[in-house]
Amino acid sequence: MAKEKLNIFESTCVPLPLENVDTDQIIPARFLSSTSREGFGNNLFRDWRFDQEGRAVQDFILNNRKYSGKILVAGKNFGCGSSREHAVWAVYDYGFRVVISSFFADIFRNNALNNGLLPLILPDDEVKGLIALVTAAPETIVKISVQERKVEIPSSGKSFTFEINPYKQECLIHGLDDIDYLINMRSRIADYEKKRGGLG
Amino acid sequence: MSSKTLFDKIWDAHRVHSIDDGPDVLYIDRHYIHEVTSPQAFRGLDERGITVFRPSLTLATADHNTPTRDQHLPIREELSRMQVDKLRENCSRHGIELFGLNHNYNGIVHVIGTELGYTRPGMTIVCGDSHTSTHGAFGTVAFGIGTSEVEMVLATQCILQTRPKTMRITVDGALGKAVTSKDIIMHIISLLTTGGATGYFVEYSGSAIRALSMESRMTICNMSIEMGARGGLIAPDKTTFSYLKNTKYYSGNNAFDDDLKSWKDLITDPGASFDKEIAINAESIRPMITYGTNPGMAIAVDAPLPDTEGMNSQDRDNYIKALSYMGFSPGIKLDGHPIDYVFLGSCTNGRIEDFRAFASVVKGRKKAENVTALLVPGSRLVEEQVKKEGLLEILRDAGFELRQPGCSSCLAMNEDKIPAGKYAVSTSNRNFEGRQGPGARTLLASPLTAAASAVTGRITDPRLF
């Protein structure tokens, strides 16, 4: 099923200078009891965003009105822990389209790409520099082109290229889906089964 | 033919197609599902108007949000009940075998799949759960996936996957007194850190690994994900084969001898190369415990917490944030620190061997009065075995209660939550903030350390017992 396309856009950023942000922080397990993919954004970073009485924690970044945008910039190893795709749904549903970090946990990265959320990897020093920059200047615009694999920060004159698997790059740009790709391969998969024999 | 690693052999045998400059199309032999990460995948099939491609290769259980008391009654929590009902409906509609709540084979997905013989050497195995790496103990390529990927497997029995790099961790030597496989893997994670194996698939080898039982090997492979590894596996050997021979699967057919022949090549060839190699001396490993808020933050139970000296500012900030959540300060010793809860269970340490270990320590002793204990078997079969072996009497005499199977307090989706600020010595796999309940403070350890701590009411070195 087609996803929302993601190619060229610009946005301000939300800095989250924490490392090893795990999926239990992104969306705690007690909010996983849903049978749909929608609505998880309300509980994104729930226990950092709200106290136990449900009041907004004032010094958490998402509650600071100075910071907003479609790009989340986070410390290394973002999305470690559980395989719950609900973490990606929560990040996406909240309004982010890109997460920048110096590396992502494998399952989170796959889940993100399967939902049209770009896990964008930059060198650790550059991520730290970007966090410092947008923390000090929340109005900083970051431009991203998936087609050109490029990140630009006009105000500082910096630009970087990022790596992305060409297949996944195409999927993001055109809003394509791995499942459609695989469904079209069903007869080839059945041939593989025959050749191999005796499965299950 | 060139030398290959065991991982490469299994991966290559399951590659249906390689996309140019893209991922591989990987065929999946065994797909496990549970109530929490599957409903949206079935919904996706419905929206596409397609059915499950190979229903006989998927097995379902309800485990993540199920209660561990009064399982014969309706689930009280409405959303959980809806998820469990939805799973039953989806399985029945698509012809998928379900070992649901109250079924004789119900239990945690990674406990039942292995104990019943659904997991066998050489397979590719996935599940919408990161601890799917557990199944690697049988010489399989097994890893956790997201719900979109669950939908891929239901729709086509394949997923698109980028081939990971390979790492071999060799553990040689004999383990010391009261040092378990949980301590081996916690020691490894503390060395590599919580993200240190990201992008790799790990093979565990060496004499210390060979000497372990299947249950202990599962504990090691289970926690591979806690250092970011895609998965972890151990080459099958005599221990694996004799375990499998006794499973339900092989008692129902006479395929064992033929299968056994097909497993003989499931080894890493001499001379095969890995992207990374790590060697560990088993004698250097002591009983471990975590002190922070990720599984890499672990030390020997009798060692002091790290000092902040020499840390860069980012590391120090992360460290202090974790310690402040835990209510600890740098340099203190955890040994002797009072605790409130003990949790024995989970896909990491909820098997019969873990209950034997726990019972061996508490036998003839009493649970400390300040400790609330949750003893949760990994499956109905484990629960039955605990009773059959007389462990239940030992546990009861020592003041413990046995619960019914499920994931329970490991992720606290059900009622088994640790209250805010309370300390829990847990045999599970994650000590993230709020993992066992909002504000809960988790100390991961082995069943022996959990038992010793349950008896004294304090964090306790199991070598004293």
Side-chain angles (χ1 to χ4, degrees), chain A residues 135-195:
Chain A
T135 304
E139 69 285 0
T140 305
I141 294 286
V142 173
K143 293 184 169 184
I144 290 173
S145 165
V146 179
Q147 181 73 59
E148 294 177 50
R149 296 187 282 118
K150 207 166 148 191
V151 182
E152 253 186 291
I153 309 163
S155 65
S156 69
K158 279 197 166 189
S159 78
F160 317 95
T161 52
F162 60 90
E163 293 293 316
I164 182 170
N165 183 300
Y167 166 82
K168 286 293 182 186
Q169 184 184 20
E170 285 300 297
C171 289
L172 279 179
I173 292 171
H174 301 293
L176 298 175
D177 184 317
D178 283 355
I179 306 178
D180 287 330
Y181 179 91
L182 284 170
I183 288 170
N184 287 328
M185 280 193 70
R186 270 178 162 194
S187 70
R188 193 158 166 189
I189 294 165
D191 288 345
Y192 165 87
E193 287 176 328
K194 264 184 230 141
K195 208 162 65 186

Side-chain angles (χ1 to χ4, degrees), chain A residues 19-28 45 48 77-82 84 87 108, chain B residues 194 293-295 430-435:
Chain A
E19 296 180 345
N20 304 315
V21 173
D22 60 77
T23 53
D24 276 88
Q25 305 321 310
I26 298 172
I27 183 88
F45 297 123
W48 287 343
N77 198 25
F78 188 83
C80 61
S82 147
R84 62 188 70 158
F108 182 89
Chain B
T194 184
T293 53
N294 73 55
R430 293 196 171 125
N431 52 339
F432 297 149
E433 286 182 31
R435 172 79 179 180

Side-chain angles (χ1 to χ4, degrees), chain A:
Chain A
M1 245 154 259
K3 308 278 178 208
E4 206 177 297
K5 296 174 184 176
L6 186 76
N7 191 355
I8 297 161
F9 78 104
E10 56 178 62
S11 171
T12 50
C13 303
V14 177
L16 185 67
L18 296 170
E19 296 180 345
N20 304 315
V21 173
D22 60 77
T23 53
D24 276 88
Q25 305 321 310
I26 298 172
I27 183 88
R30 64 186 188 280
F31 300 113
L32 304 185
S33 297
S34 166
T35 54
S36 80
R37 290 173 186 247
E38 293 80 35
F40 290 101
N42 293 335
N43 292 313
L44 175 68
F45 297 123
R46 173 78 199 198
D47 292 338
W48 287 343
R49 233 167 111 195
F50 303 103
D51 67 16
Q52 289 190 30
E53 279 75 49
R55 291 172 304 219
V57 174
Q58 287 312 319
D59 61 357
F60 184 62
I61 198 84
L62 292 193
N63 295 324
N64 187 334
R65 288 190 187 172
K66 280 200 294 187
Y67 301 100
S68 65
K70 293 181 180 178
I71 304 170
L72 180 68
V73 193
K76 70 178 181 199
N77 198 25
F78 188 83
C80 61
S82 147
S83 66
R84 62 188 70 158
E85 198 160 309
H86 314 65
V88 168
W89 298 335
V91 171
Y92 194 92
D93 191 46
Y94 185 84
F96 293 113
R97 292 297 173 266
V98 177
V99 184
I100 299 177
S101 181
S102 58
F103 76 90
F104 292 89
D106 287 329
I107 308 178
F108 182 89
R109 201 189 53 215
N110 284 351
N111 288 343
L113 288 165
N114 283 330
N115 286 277
L117 176 74
L118 173 64
L120 196 157
I121 300 168
L122 291 183
D124 202 40
D125 287 348
E126 301 300 348
V127 174
K128 283 178 180 152
L130 184 56
I131 287 176
L133 177 66
V134 300
T135 304
E139 69 285 0
T140 305
I141 294 286
V142 173
K143 293 184 169 184
I144 290 173
S145 165
V146 179
Q147 181 73 59
E148 294 177 50
R149 296 187 282 118
K150 207 166 148 191
V151 182
E152 253 186 291
I153 309 163
S155 65
S156 69
K158 279 197 166 189
S159 78
F160 317 95
T161 52
F162 60 90
E163 293 293 316
I164 182 170
N165 183 300
Y167 166 82
K168 286 293 182 186
Q169 184 184 20
E170 285 300 297
C171 289
L172 279 179
I173 292 171
H174 301 293
L176 298 175
D177 184 317
D178 283 355
I179 306 178
D180 287 330
Y181 179 91
L182 284 170
I183 288 170
N184 287 328
M185 280 193 70
R186 270 178 162 194
S187 70
R188 193 158 166 189
I189 294 165
D191 288 345
Y192 165 87
E193 287 176 328
K194 264 184 230 141
K195 208 162 65 186
R196 227 183 120 208
L199 288 173

Side-chain angles (χ1 to χ4, degrees), chain B residues 34-84:
Chain B
H34 60 83
E35 76 279 19
V36 176
T37 59
S38 68
Q40 294 88 348
F42 282 107
R43 202 180 189 192
L45 295 188
D46 291 344
E47 284 167 9
R48 289 167 204 271
I50 57 172
T51 54
V52 176
F53 187 58
R54 297 288 179 253
S56 67
L57 302 185
T58 293
L59 176 69
T61 185
D63 56 3
H64 275 61
N65 69 24
T66 52
T68 57
R69 274 180 179 151
D70 295 331
Q71 290 187 347
H72 61 289
L73 299 176
I75 299 175
R76 275 188 295 200
E77 217 273 307
E78 192 192 342
L79 289 171
S80 299
R81 189 173 65 244
M82 272 171 58
Q83 276 188 330
V84 171

Side-chain angles (χ1 to χ4, degrees), chain B residues 115-414:
Chain B
E115 74 187 358
L116 295 170
Y118 283 77
T119 291
R120 300 189 289 278
M123 283 180 156
T124 47
I125 298 176
V126 295
C127 173
D129 186 283
S130 59
H131 293 110
T132 308
S133 57
T134 311
H135 305 264
F138 291 77
T140 69
V141 168
F143 51 91
I145 58 175
T147 298
S148 295
E149 293 169 315
V150 171
E151 190 178 334
M152 289 176 210
V153 182
L154 291 173
T156 69
Q157 206 56 37
C158 287
I159 52 170
L160 292 175
Q161 204 70 191
T162 306
R163 190 188 194 107
K165 291 179 281 186
T166 55
M167 181 191 300
R168 177 161 58 190
I169 300 177
T170 306
V171 189
D172 277 320
L175 292 175
K177 184 190 171 192
V179 178
T180 69
S181 72
K182 181 66 166 283
D183 303 301
I184 298 180
I185 189 63
M186 286 178 65
H187 176 80
I188 292 172
I189 300 166
S190 75
L191 295 177
L192 269 74
T193 77
T194 184
T198 303
Y200 289 90
F201 209 99
V202 178
E203 178 172 347
Y204 301 97
S205 69
S207 62
I209 303 292
R210 288 275 143 250
L212 296 174
S213 68
M214 286 316 293
E215 286 87 349
S216 292
R217 293 179 189 187
M218 283 188 251
T219 302
I220 294 206
C221 291
N222 171 278
M223 287 189 76
S224 302
I225 182 70
E226 307 310 337
M227 50 186 176
R230 203 71 189 83
L233 54 67
I234 295 170
D237 60 11
K238 276 189 292 189
T239 306
T240 324
F241 305 144
S242 66
Y243 180 98
L244 278 164
K245 201 173 179 178
N246 293 315
T247 59
K248 169 186 163 280
Y249 176 78
Y250 284 110
S251 69
N253 64 47
N254 49 20
F256 185 79
D257 290 340
D258 284 343
D259 285 356
L260 184 62
K261 278 178 212 149
S262 73
W263 297 333
K264 291 295 186 195
D265 189 42
L266 293 173
I267 50 160
T268 287
D269 296 328
S273 71
F274 290 80
D275 296 303
K276 194 169 184 175
E277 293 251 22
I278 290 170
I280 285 166
N281 176 4
E283 280 140 44
S284 69
I285 303 173
R286 291 183 278 167
M288 299 288 290
I289 193 155
T290 59
Y291 57 82
T293 53
N294 73 55
M297 303 176 89
I299 44 162
V301 67
D302 58 340
L305 298 195
D307 233 314
T308 52
E309 235 165 88
M311 283 186 187
N312 67 39
S313 67
Q314 170 104 51
D315 287 350
R316 193 174 53 238
D317 289 353
N318 287 328
Y319 179 53
I320 296 299
K321 181 177 186 296
L323 288 201
S324 115
Y325 180 86
M326 293 300 295
F328 296 146
S329 37
I332 65 159
K333 276 195 172 190
L334 294 187
D335 203 350
H337 191 286
I339 60 161
D340 309 290
Y341 283 75
V342 162
F343 171 53
L344 173 69
S346 84
C347 58
T348 312
N349 283 122
R351 298 186 177 77
I352 186 61
E353 183 179 280
D354 304 311
F355 281 82
R356 288 181 194 137
F358 193 95
S360 75
V361 172
V362 304
K363 187 175 183 175
R365 298 190 166 92
K366 289 281 179 207
K367 178 180 77 64
E369 282 187 9
N370 59 313
V371 169
T372 305
L374 287 138
L375 273 50
V376 185
S379 70
R380 290 279 288 255
L381 289 184
V382 171
E383 182 186 357
E384 270 173 40
Q385 193 65 23
V386 165
K387 292 174 182 167
K388 216 184 282 177
E389 292 184 14
L391 302 177
L392 184 58
E393 284 83 63
I394 295 172
L395 296 171
R396 277 193 182 148
D397 289 348
F400 294 93
E401 172 209 1
L402 187 69
R403 300 261 186 148
Q404 291 172 296
C407 297
S408 177
S409 188
C410 173
L411 82 168
M413 270 195 82
N414 67 358

